[in-house]
Amino acid sequence: MAIQGGYTGKLLDINLTKQTIGTAPLPSEHVLRKWVGGTGLGVYLLSKEITSNMRPTDPECPVLMLTGPLTGTLAPQSSHWCIVSLNSELKYHVGVSHGHGFWGARLKHAGWDGIIIRGISPNPVYLWIDDTNVELRNAARYWGAGTFDTVQRIRTDLGDPEHISVACIGPGGENLLPGGSVKADIYHACNRGGPGSIWGAKRLKAIAVRGTSQVGLADKAAFTELCEDWKQIINNHPEPPPTREAHGLRGMVRAGLKEGKIHGKNFTDPEFQVRWSQHLAEDLKQWKVTPVGSWECEMRCHNETIVTTGPMAGCKVMGYTGEVIEELGPNLGIEDPGVGLVLCGIIDDLGLDVSEVPRTISMVMEAYNAGILTREDTNGLDLTWGNHEAVIGLINMIVERDGIGAILAKGLREAARQLGTEDMAVHIKGTGFNPHDQRAYPMMLFQSLVASGAGPAWQAVNVLERDPDPDLGYPEPLDPDDPSGKGRATYKGQVKKMWEDTLGVCMFATQRGMKGILDLGPRVLAAAVGWKDFSRGEALLVGERIINLQRLFALFRGYEAKYDFDISKRMLEPVPGGPAKGRVLGPHLAGMRREYYECLNWDPETGIPRPEALEQVGLSDFQVGPE
Amino acid sequence: MNSIVCIKAVPDPDSTFTLDENGNVQLESVPLVPSLYDEHAVEAAVALKEALGGQVTALSAGGPKADQVVLHALAMDADLGVLVEHSAPLDLDSRTTATILAEAVRRLGPFDLILCGQEAADSGAGTVGPTLALLLDIPFLTCVTKIEKVEAGLRVERMAEGGYDVLECPLPALLTVGSQVNHPRYPSAMKFFRAKRTGITRWPIQDLLTDRASVEAILLPGKRHVPTVVGECTFLDGQTSEDLAGGFVTLLSEKGFI
């Protein structure tokens, strides 16, 4: 059955060394049906090109920007696109980061399912995609600019700010810092895996896109009807899309007061979150918070906030800011939420992932407050907890690789080694991980550590210890203190999430415990593409296939099962206080991993997929690397 | 091109707020934000500076909390920030505001251009800019949608019925702008932080107006009333249009309108 919609059928194929722009067809329908799009298609395409020793900064290393078949359609929250490449921070993992805003939808509307970029440009460039007219342009005048400035200037210079989306890097990516991110449409970041630093190595400053067509659909009437059903499910959720206060910031109050998942002072002070969250709750009554959406998005989890309280009153901050503020507020001992929010704005403008550079700073602050480091070590900075001026000074030193900043710019693990602060480096596999004190939800922490083939990330993001997931057979949340069945639950959640990440919709359209999505998704895909017999079972097989390919990818790049336990000791100990006091993963980790491996039919010792496992997902003959 | 941008702190138009017994907004109840069109004025001034050189001074008048909008302008790349501090109600009348701003402009010294939003987001009067220009005895153009430097001064486009006017004016001059003139840049958090550290210039109004007018008189708050709306509805009887029209004429006659 020929593909009748959903896809444009084309990828842009850019070589920055040669400064050439070409077109590549999408893989065959047979391949597409196995990987669909987004993360799935990206990992598949990357796997066919990499070698075991290729580095992310090598010219031949490709970086892929991909949409899904639903991106840019009328499906709810169909703003999703992703960046797939080698992981900047971890040799053995693929790097996958998720983006939203309007960039992905406009790329589809311009007639492209994705972009593959190889090579290194001799000079800074940006890519301008105006429907099918595509050109590389000199970006020298934007090099060095922050992400907010870059987006606005390029949009304005191209003369149509209302209809042009720009994804770009800031000084963080340009300077190849750990956790260099790509920012799109001002508010939205692709963070995990450090894609911004890969763009920076390629001297790719930005990609601007304007699209004027629509995504074709196989059965428009059926598609529209199914999407209306989908929107009904979203709107009937106990927590429907917000009206005024943005989802992210509002959630922080609950996270600190009830869930205990906000980390304080480099994970040493879980009591800090309680008074900080109370402070935030009061401030939110005063701040002007304007939720910001993406393509076909009613969730509007990002926001524009004008701080009107405290020492930073008057500052306007754009971005997600939800969990970001945890890392830049409480985890640095900063009491005033407005100050933390302004630090979010600074980090976002620099184009940095909040879990890398800020986590390094919290490590150094802990060492300074413990007397292990002194002002002599910090180039005169007083890194007392909460000293935001010193934090900003340190951020600038890291960006400029000046003094102690040059050490911290080497990444969390290496910086800790050089400074002798290994015990204070709160890491997974040597890198930072998503904000939240994940010890509060041991299963969430387990997912970040073991059940992610893309480094510490939430590939099975269901917070099943807080929210139910009736589609997976969990009508009630799981008990956070009871480890039984958590390995299986993680497996089921990851299969579902990896499938959903192929479609081109935001996780807030599929997760949060909404009932019926797992049956609806395949039907929507069928109506879009024309695969009328695409079933729930086939969808779950797509998810399981991606999990297995990520593992093959990692093994090809040198992964060993022992890395599943590569995490700071602090994260495996019980939470010492706060609302989640006593929660712990450590004693249950080995058992949960055993169960998780059993579900996937992976060898319990080596973590290598058994032949039967690969046969089940159609990967028996699959070879990672060029054929 | 040395520009002065007048920027006003207004109650967040999207928020709910309470009034005191005189009908004034209780400022504690509402966030202060930059008046919408004033952000466009800042952007226009900064764009001219980037193209032609010079500097941009952000000027506001208000209570101590109005420094927030001056800092906002500095975070948008204005160079200097000045707040004329007073304790009067937020929405002074246009003449009073223009008088205060005129004194501040005189103190700031020579300039090429003053930019204002075409109207404030709270009062919507649209008269501060023109009044300020009259007080300073300089030409002004309102509702400008495009600004271009030419040898003789400025060439601007201005909204007009069914199109736009193209006008030229010598400098120094005052322009008011609306949302069509540009897309305001997002403020930089780092620049805000630096501006916060550097601080802005604060002029107490008593210092500024000593020789010109009585501060107490000029800041005397007025009293405002929420209008009382009384509705009365009369339904006309009748089956046909003629019946209803006849009844309507009779009613108008009885009320003395015809």
Side-chain angles (χ1 to χ4, degrees):
Chain A
M1 180 181 295
I3 290 174
Q4 300 164 45
Y7 300 97
T8 70
K10 293 182 301 178
L11 299 169
L12 266 173
D13 191 352
I14 310 292
N15 188 309
L16 293 175
T17 304
K18 299 174 182 172
Q19 301 278 292
T20 57
I21 297 169
T23 301
L26 277 179
S28 67
E29 182 175 4
H30 172 71
V31 171
L32 283 180
R33 192 152 173 163
K34 289 178 79 171
W35 304 102
V36 185
T39 303
L41 186 58
V43 176
Y44 166 78
L45 291 172
L46 185 69
S47 296
K48 305 307 289 182
E49 295 203 30
I50 55 147
T51 61
S52 59
N53 291 314
M54 184 184 285
R55 295 176 302 178
T57 51
D58 287 346
E60 59 272 24
C61 175
V63 56
L64 301 100
M65 278 59 66
L66 287 168
T67 63
L70 303 187
T71 307
T73 68
L74 293 180
Q77 300 170 45
S78 51
S79 61
H80 180 259
W81 58 284
C82 63
I83 302 180
V84 178
S85 187
L86 290 180
N87 192 308
S88 288
E89 329 301 341
L90 290 165
K91 176 184 179 296
Y92 38 75
H93 277 317
V94 64
V96 178
S97 56
H98 304 279
H100 299 278
F102 293 82
W103 192 90
R106 284 178 171 148
L107 185 67
K108 283 283 288 283
H109 299 167
W112 307 99
D113 289 307
I115 307 168
I116 304 174
I117 293 185
R118 302 179 183 83
I120 293 177
S121 174
N123 300 302
V125 291
Y126 78 97
L127 187 65
W128 168 219
I129 304 167
D130 191 8
D131 284 330
T132 52
N133 299 313
V134 184
E135 57 182 302
L136 284 166
R137 292 190 169 192
N138 188 320
R141 64 185 181 280
Y142 307 118
W143 199 255
T147 60
F148 301 147
D149 201 19
T150 301
V151 171
Q152 293 179 102
R153 283 168 60 190
I154 290 178
R155 284 196 308 209
T156 302
D157 291 349
L158 291 172
D160 186 14
E162 298 289 335
H163 303 103
I164 293 172
S165 276
V166 177
C168 71
I169 62 172
E174 292 173 12
N175 295 332
L176 313 185
L177 290 176
S181 64
V182 171
K183 292 290 298 277
D185 295 332
I186 300 287
Y187 306 92
H188 304 273
C190 292
N191 279 325
R192 305 307 300 153
S197 298
I198 298 177
W199 282 30
K202 294 183 176 302
R203 300 195 184 91
L204 175 66
K205 178 65 177 175
I207 302 176
V209 59
R210 175 169 58 188
T212 58
S213 65
Q214 294 183 340
V215 180
L217 297 167
D219 186 341
K220 188 173 182 180
F223 183 84
T224 304
E225 191 172 331
L226 289 165
C227 288
E228 286 303 315
D229 293 345
W230 197 342
K231 290 172 184 173
Q232 281 295 318
I233 294 173
I234 293 171
N235 287 322
N236 289 338
H237 188 274
E239 288 187 46
T243 53
R244 183 165 186 272
E245 288 179 3
H247 163 87
L249 284 172
R250 188 178 58 188
M252 287 304 94
V253 176
R254 179 179 67 181
L257 294 180
K258 294 185 177 174
E259 300 179 67
K261 67 172 183 177
I262 295 181
H263 43 314
K265 297 182 179 175
N266 202 33
F267 296 79
T268 62
D269 185 358
E271 306 290 351
F272 191 98
Q273 62 188 312
V274 177
R275 62 178 184 274
W276 182 86
S277 298
Q278 289 166 340
H279 196 158
L280 176 64
E282 289 302 311
D283 283 353
L284 277 174
K285 296 174 187 171
Q286 301 289 321
W287 295 355
K288 176 175 172 58
V289 183
T290 306
V292 173
S294 295
W295 171 262
E296 282 295 320
C297 168
E298 293 185 19
M299 194 67 194
R300 299 185 299 164
C301 65
H302 289 59
N303 59 77
E304 256 182 42
T305 301
I306 299 180
V307 176
T308 60
T309 57
M312 292 297 170
C315 193
K316 186 175 185 179
V317 180
M318 294 73 67
Y320 179 63
T321 65
E323 60 212 45
V324 181
I325 197 174
E326 293 180 37
E327 201 74 43
L328 288 157
N331 204 42
L332 303 180
I334 293 172
E335 299 268 357
D336 186 274
V339 172
L341 200 73
V342 171
L343 289 173
C344 294
I346 289 173
I347 284 290
D348 278 346
D349 198 22
L350 289 168
L352 287 170
D353 179 2
V354 71
S355 61
E356 293 295 335
V357 164
R359 188 66 62 80
T360 311
I361 292 174
S362 64
M363 172 188 73
V364 176
M365 291 183 88
E366 183 185 344
Y368 182 89
N369 284 273
I372 295 168
L373 297 178
T374 68
R375 281 196 188 218
E376 282 185 19
D377 303 304
T378 63
N379 300 87
L381 292 175
D382 171 16
L383 292 176
T384 301
W385 289 121
N387 185 353
H388 68 270
E389 298 214 5
V391 168
I392 293 173
L394 194 50
I395 290 171
N396 285 327
M397 290 173 71
I398 293 169
V399 172
E400 294 166 9
R401 295 181 190 270
D402 176 31
I404 191 175
I407 298 173
L408 301 186
K410 294 177 180 176
L412 188 56
R413 175 164 274 168
E414 178 59 19
R417 191 189 65 77
Q418 291 195 22
L419 294 171
T421 56
E422 287 97 333
D423 288 349
M424 299 169 189
V426 184
H427 71 90
I428 290 177
K429 298 175 181 171
T431 75
F433 51 89
N434 287 49
H436 291 328
D437 188 341
Q438 298 186 29
R439 293 175 299 184
Y441 292 122
M443 187 175 152
M444 177 194 283
L445 181 57
F446 175 75
Q447 292 170 4
S448 294
L449 178 59
V450 176
S452 165
W458 293 327
Q459 290 201 333
V461 74
N462 306 288
V463 191
L464 268 173
E465 291 157 316
R466 185 192 68 195
D467 302 327
D469 196 326
D471 281 2
L472 293 179
Y474 302 103
E476 300 295 333
L478 301 179
D479 180 357
D481 294 313
D482 181 359
S484 59
K486 296 284 179 66
R488 169 166 290 278
T490 295
Y491 156 76
K492 291 169 73 175
Q494 189 179 10
V495 167
K496 177 173 178 278
K497 175 72 162 54
M498 297 313 295
W499 143 248
E500 291 164 352
D501 282 352
T502 67
L503 290 172
V505 296
C506 169
M507 57 172 270
F508 285 136
T510 58
Q511 300 268 324
R512 305 167 71 225
M514 291 182 288
K515 187 177 181 181
I517 302 294
L518 197 47
D519 288 320
L520 195 60
R523 294 169 63 202
V524 175
L525 178 68
V529 179
W531 295 331
K532 292 182 178 175
D533 56 343
F534 201 96
S535 65
R536 171 179 169 140
E538 189 170 353
L540 294 176
L541 205 57
V542 169
E544 187 150 350
R545 186 176 297 124
I546 298 168
I547 297 170
N548 278 279
L549 179 54
Q550 287 186 148
R551 176 52 60 121
L552 294 179
F553 184 107
L555 292 166
F556 179 71
R557 299 273 296 172
Y559 193 79
E560 297 179 41
K562 65 182 181 185
Y563 299 149
D564 285 345
F565 303 131
D566 184 8
I567 182 172
S568 43
K569 183 182 168 195
R570 186 173 297 174
M571 293 305 293
L572 296 180
E573 295 169 346
V575 181
K581 183 177 181 181
R583 298 261 177 87
V584 64
L585 171 65
H588 315 303
L589 174 58
M592 286 169 68
R593 190 184 75 154
R594 190 181 314 114
E595 186 177 278
Y596 173 75
Y597 275 13
E598 282 173 4
C599 291
L600 283 158
N601 203 2
W602 292 356
D603 183 277
E605 301 300 323
T606 64
I608 297 173
R610 291 193 172 107
E612 299 83 2
L614 296 178
E615 185 178 354
Q616 184 190 342
V617 296
L619 291 178
S620 292
D621 301 322
F622 193 91
Q623 292 292 319
V624 178
E627 289 175 352
Chain B
M1 178 72 72
N2 291 320
S3 303
I4 297 169
V5 184
C6 300
I7 181 165
K8 182 179 183 182
V10 299
D12 175 8
D14 297 330
S15 68
T16 55
F17 49 85
T18 54
L19 303 177
D20 64 17
E21 66 274 12
N22 290 322
N24 293 312
V25 175
Q26 290 192 312
L27 294 183
E28 301 75 25
S29 69
V30 59
L32 289 180
V33 297
S35 185
L36 174 64
Y37 296 136
D38 295 353
E39 288 190 287
H40 294 272
V42 174
E43 175 61 37
V46 171
L48 285 169
K49 177 189 77 169
E50 289 172 347
L52 304 170
Q55 70 174 24
V56 176
T57 301
L59 171 64
S60 187
K65 285 171 67 177
D67 67 349
Q68 296 176 19
V69 299
V70 179
L71 290 166
H72 182 88
L74 292 170
M76 290 176 69
D77 270 344
D79 303 288
L80 298 171
V82 176
L83 173 65
V84 180
E85 276 192 8
H86 64 70
S87 56
L90 190 71
D91 42 352
L92 297 170
D93 66 69
S94 299
R95 170 83 187 184
T96 305
T97 301
T99 301
I100 295 169
L101 293 176
E103 285 304 315
V105 169
R106 290 188 186 103
R107 180 179 282 200
L108 284 168
F111 63 90
D112 300 306
L113 179 65
I114 296 175
L115 283 151
C116 302
Q118 66 188 33
E119 64 183 56
D122 52 355
S123 65
T127 51
V128 166
T131 309
L132 175 58
L134 290 170
L135 291 170
L136 295 171
D137 195 23
I138 58 173
F140 69 90
L141 290 165
T142 59
C143 302
V144 167
T145 56
K146 187 177 178 183
I147 306 168
E148 183 185 2
K149 178 77 176 74
V150 294
E151 193 170 339
L154 294 176
R155 178 181 294 139
V156 306
E157 293 179 7
R158 187 177 69 174
M159 282 189 294
E161 186 81 24
Y164 57 87
D165 301 325
V166 179
L167 301 160
E168 289 190 2
C169 71
L171 295 172
L174 183 148
L175 306 179
T176 75
V177 300
S179 57
Q180 295 92 337
V181 71
N182 54 39
H183 292 267
R185 69 192 61 198
Y186 281 93
S188 153
M190 185 67 89
K191 287 174 183 167
F192 182 94
F193 171 74
R194 287 177 183 150
K196 188 83 182 175
R197 287 190 70 183
T198 307
I200 64 168
T201 301
R202 294 170 187 269
W203 290 339
I205 194 167
Q206 293 84 350
D207 295 350
L208 198 66
L209 295 182
T210 304
D211 301 327
R212 294 259 170 186
S214 159
V215 176
E216 287 186 6
I218 208 166
L219 297 180
L220 187 67
K223 188 172 175 67
R224 293 175 175 80
H225 301 275
V226 178
T228 304
V229 178
V230 179
E232 184 182 347
C233 187
T234 301
F235 289 92
L236 299 172
D237 293 326
Q239 297 297 317
T240 65
S241 301
E242 287 76 10
D243 290 344
L244 291 170
F248 187 51
V249 169
T250 302
L251 184 66
L252 292 176
S253 178
E254 289 172 358
K255 298 277 185 185
F257 295 131
I258 56 173

